[in-house]
Amino acid sequence: MSRVQTVNVTAGRVAELVGRLAVADLAEILDPLPGLQARLRIAPGDWGQVADIAARQGLRWSAVWGDHRPPQILIRSLLFGCDGHLLLETAVDEALPELTSQTGAYIAADRPERALQDMFGVRFIDHPDRRRWLRHQGWAEGDYPLRVDFPVAGRRSGTTPPDCNYPFPAVVGEGVYEIPVGPVHAGIIEPGHFRFQAVGETILRMEEHLGYVHKGIEKIAVGRDLTGLARLACRVSGDSAVAHGWAACQAVERALQVEVPPRALALRAILVERERIANHLGDIGAICNDVGFAFAQVQMTRLRELVQRQNQVLFGHRLLFDRVVPGGVAVDLDAGQTLSMLEELQRLRIDVEELLPLLLEYPSLQDRLRGTGILPPEQARRIGVIGYIGRAGNLQDDLRRDAPYAPYDRLRVEVPACLVGDVACRVSVRGEEVLVAIGLIEQLLADLPDGVLRADCPVPGGEVEGIGLIEGWRGETVAYVRLSAAGRVERYFPRDPSWLSWPALEMLLEDVIVPDFPVNNKSVNGSYSGHDL
């Protein structure tokens, strides 16, 4: 079983990096946005060098995004240290948008930079992979959909040609063959292509190609009011409606300097912990079912269903859509509902504590899970994974404990972790996170503040921006929001944790047998929707 290990988090310190860069005249110190430790302006020519220094100092890479402000494109990169988050900013000319890649320092920047290349036309110098990532056949050469002059409905008329020529590299050798899987799958999931190269049953290499959905989240956010933004954020990834909704609202509230009522903050935490519980229960059951242990699937699905039914009864929505709103929450709990939830949590705790030891010690089940899909801790740190995938290899970063925001700043948050990084560890960590979440909700309900549920969000009267940082069930969830003087959205960027977990799936499949792909995939469970904005 997993247990609370010695604390092992990102070691680098933002404050030390800022000092070092300032002394070297590599950065201009700017006023930090609320919730961040620091913000630096970097010259375009120093962008890659600064990333190299940050990586050597042990900071974790988190996200990169663009913002077209003609005649420039602003590029922002978010890093995390043990003392908080650091925002790097630079700007490139829209006519010749070139920037040194950070991928050499941080592998995690690979696909996000390719997405920036596709959506804004930014060319990353020294990037190791020139292939498109999100571009599809609906966009002509020279079209960049997230530039302000590109229409939200696109420019192509008629049917978009099929996207069937993504250049997967070939692996040749005696007995090597390929297995294309997807993008359309047999199950009720979203599209994603997996290209396997194997010998016999053993996987030599697997590469993903995602980006088939193209919901246009970032584009259609522009011009929305705050309520419309919150509703859109809840739909970035339906299984993370609370996490993304809270991150977007937190970004808005920080930008507007709105103080959210304590009761609303406690209710938000209750909602996000219930989202965590439901998703972990469902996935634990599905993982076990993928190796033929249907008993666990039945039991865990039953428990998840009970949680979601109570969500419907108490909060009016099984998946908790639109319960988090700008300035607060749209739901409340009375004394009877509080008691009902506590009774349900008590029964859930008993069931989980009875089932988990059975799953984690049952020989025939553990024979399939232990040693399967190992992501060694050193490799996990190198690619920057977060959430339960990192914690399965004792990379414990958890914003609730390590960069606490209200109401977690008044709670004690335990972070379960394992050491090996295999499927068994991912199941164990997720099971214990269910118990931790139950305990947190009990703490919150025992000391639920009185007061109003929502604060007013004023019209800013000038352009403002903010960043939201929430620990969702998959891990660190990021949202950047820039508002106009009238309070309308000018730019919204959500970063789902799946951007950092999908590459982990490719790595942990090396030398795994093909029939074990489903159980490994489910143990990671990246979000297609959260990635394919």
Side-chain angles (χ1 to χ4, degrees):
M1 292 181 65
S2 68
R3 54 186 61 87
V4 177
Q5 306 286 349
T6 301
V7 174
N8 179 26
V9 299
T10 295
R13 295 183 64 81
V14 167
E16 292 178 6
L17 177 67
V18 170
R20 180 173 176 179
L21 294 177
V23 169
D25 200 22
L26 287 171
E28 177 187 352
I29 299 176
L30 305 175
D31 292 335
L33 298 178
L36 302 183
Q37 175 72 5
R39 181 165 67 121
L40 301 176
R41 179 178 293 131
I42 309 295
D46 297 329
W47 190 250
Q49 182 184 357
V50 167
D52 286 337
I53 296 171
R56 287 198 298 273
Q57 290 212 186
L59 270 70
R60 172 170 61 78
W61 192 91
S62 177
V64 66
W65 65 94
D67 191 355
H68 188 198
R69 308 293 299 273
Q72 292 184 316
I73 299 171
L74 305 185
I75 308 295
R76 294 181 173 91
S77 180
L78 188 67
L79 306 177
F80 178 73
C82 61
D83 54 345
H85 287 84
L86 167 66
L87 187 66
L88 305 178
E89 299 182 357
T90 193
V92 294
D93 189 327
E94 65 177 6
L96 187 61
E98 291 187 340
L99 195 61
T100 309
S101 171
Q102 295 185 338
T103 300
Y106 291 106
I107 295 176
D110 180 348
R111 289 174 178 171
E113 286 187 346
R114 289 165 63 193
L116 272 174
Q117 165 193 280
D118 293 348
M119 309 303 279
F120 288 93
V122 178
R123 177 177 176 270
F124 283 93
I125 300 167
D126 297 330
H127 196 288
D129 191 342
R130 293 292 181 197
R131 293 176 297 169
R132 61 189 170 95
W133 180 241
L134 294 181
R135 290 194 74 82
H136 64 76
Q137 306 307 313
W139 302 325
E141 188 71 24
D143 277 346
Y144 300 110
L146 286 182
R147 290 199 180 189
V148 295
D149 56 350
F150 189 84
V152 68
R155 294 195 174 102
R156 178 182 289 274
S157 59
T159 303
T160 299
D163 191 8
C164 55
N165 295 313
Y166 184 75
F168 289 101
V171 174
V172 296
E174 185 176 353
V176 177
Y177 66 98
E178 287 194 342
I179 309 172
V181 176
V184 178
H185 301 275
I188 306 173
I189 60 176
E190 293 170 285
H193 185 93
F194 304 97
R195 182 66 59 92
F196 294 85
Q197 283 128 2
V199 171
E201 285 195 322
T202 303
I203 299 170
L204 299 178
R205 185 176 182 278
M206 189 280 284
E207 183 175 353
E208 302 148 354
H209 182 221
L210 307 175
Y212 291 90
V213 180
H214 300 297
K215 303 188 298 293
I217 291 282
E218 294 169 272
K219 194 75 176 181
I220 63 176
V222 177
R224 289 182 177 240
D225 62 15
L226 301 185
T227 301
L229 171 66
R231 289 179 59 82
L232 183 67
C234 285
R235 288 150 180 84
V236 169
S237 182
D239 56 14
S240 303
V242 180
H244 278 290
W246 190 353
C249 288
Q250 187 188 70
V252 166
E253 291 149 5
R254 285 175 169 175
L256 298 175
Q257 300 182 33
V258 169
E259 186 171 345
V260 180
R263 187 175 182 85
L265 290 169
L267 288 166
R268 285 180 176 182
I270 290 171
L271 295 171
V272 84
E273 296 304 328
R274 292 185 68 86
E275 186 171 77
R276 191 183 320 277
I277 291 170
N279 281 294
H280 281 341
L281 290 174
D283 279 0
I284 291 171
I287 291 167
C288 296
N289 191 56
D290 276 341
V291 293
F293 196 61
F295 168 78
Q297 167 82 335
V298 172
Q299 293 299 323
M300 291 299 176
T301 301
R302 175 181 67 83
L303 296 179
R304 183 188 63 173
E305 177 65 20
L306 292 173
V307 173
Q308 292 184 330
R309 286 185 183 184
Q310 193 172 52
N311 285 346
Q312 176 71 45
V313 171
L314 297 180
F315 301 114
H317 199 287
R318 289 170 57 87
L319 301 180
L320 304 172
F321 275 45
D322 306 326
R323 308 302 98 167
V324 178
V325 296
V329 292
V331 291
D332 198 3
L333 290 172
D334 61 26
Q337 291 170 322
T338 300
L339 179 61
S340 172
M341 189 186 300
L342 285 169
E343 292 173 346
E344 178 241 16
L345 291 172
Q346 188 176 17
R347 290 191 291 269
L348 178 61
R349 182 196 298 280
I350 292 171
D351 281 340
V352 172
E353 287 182 338
E354 185 175 1
L355 284 167
L356 271 184
L358 173 62
L359 304 185
L360 300 175
E361 296 168 11
Y362 195 68
S364 61
L365 176 63
Q366 287 300 312
D367 183 59
R368 295 297 312 282
L369 304 185
R370 288 178 183 161
T372 298
I374 296 175
L375 185 67
E378 61 276 12
Q379 196 171 30
R381 185 175 294 284
R382 191 166 64 87
I383 63 175
V385 295
I386 52 179
Y388 50 82
I389 304 171
R391 290 172 208 135
N394 202 26
L395 304 180
Q396 298 181 17
D397 287 2
D398 187 319
L399 300 187
R400 297 174 298 173
R401 182 193 64 185
D402 304 321
Y405 47 94
Y408 293 103
D409 53 357
R410 63 179 176 88
L411 303 177
R412 181 174 182 271
V413 180
E414 291 189 350
V415 180
C418 285
L419 300 174
V420 177
D422 57 8
V423 174
C425 288
R426 291 191 278 279
V427 169
S428 178
V429 166
R430 297 178 73 170
E432 293 207 12
E433 286 191 0
V434 169
L435 296 174
V436 170
I438 292 173
L440 288 171
I441 297 175
E442 289 173 337
Q443 287 185 60
L444 290 160
L445 290 176
D447 188 25
L448 194 61
D450 295 325
V452 300
L453 299 175
R454 190 170 183 178
D456 290 334
C457 291
V459 175
E463 186 177 287
V464 293
E465 57 187 345
I467 291 183
L469 298 159
I470 297 298
E471 188 72 23
W473 69 276
R474 282 194 176 93
E476 178 193 68
T477 304
V478 179
Y480 167 79
V481 174
R482 179 166 60 84
L483 300 176
S484 69
R488 294 278 173 170
V489 177
E490 294 282 343
R491 181 77 175 103
Y492 168 52
F493 167 75
R495 200 275 284 136
D496 189 88
S498 301
W499 275 92
L500 304 175
S501 60
W502 278 116
L505 178 62
E506 294 179 343
M507 293 189 177
L508 61 84
L509 283 178
E510 288 184 9
D511 295 328
V512 170
I513 60 174
V514 174
D516 275 351
F517 169 66
V519 68
N520 282 282
N521 188 22
K522 180 53 69 177
S523 74
V524 171
N525 195 8
S527 168
Y528 299 87
S529 183
H531 175 282
D532 300 348
L533 301 177

